[in-house]
Amino acid sequence: MNKICLARLKNKSEAVQIYNTYIQDAQNTDSQACVELFKKLQQQEIKQAEEVRGHLQEVMQKGKM
């Protein structure tokens, strides 16, 4: 199960980086609505990554799921 959580954390981290590209592209085309949408979605990814990271830290401290 820890492998699944680690994979999920990796996926979330990659998604955050990809949103940086989307945000930059939207800024380059002066699409403020898209910029705001991508920033909102990126924040959701960050929040989810923090939740997974917190879970993994707890598991590592307690030694069980």
Side-chain angles (χ1 to χ4, degrees):
M1 188 59 94
N2 285 341
K3 288 182 182 181
I4 294 170
C5 288
L6 286 171
R8 202 65 193 131
L9 183 58
K10 181 179 180 278
N11 290 342
K12 292 293 177 186
S13 298
E14 290 170 352
V16 168
Q17 293 303 315
I18 290 168
Y19 275 114
N20 284 333
T21 301
Y22 295 163
I23 291 166
Q24 186 176 20
D25 289 347
Q27 288 171 335
N28 290 341
T29 60
D30 293 323
S31 180
Q32 191 58 34
C34 287
V35 170
E36 295 304 317
L37 173 63
F38 293 143
K39 284 183 177 182
K40 177 183 172 185
L41 296 172
Q42 184 183 48
Q43 287 303 312
Q44 291 172 356
E45 294 288 350
I46 291 169
K47 182 180 177 190
Q48 292 172 0
E50 289 171 350
E51 288 181 47
V52 173
R53 186 179 65 225
H55 172 76
L56 285 170
Q57 288 174 334
E58 185 177 320
V59 167
M60 292 173 77
Q61 290 173 352
K62 293 182 179 179
K64 62 180 179 177
M65 292 223 166

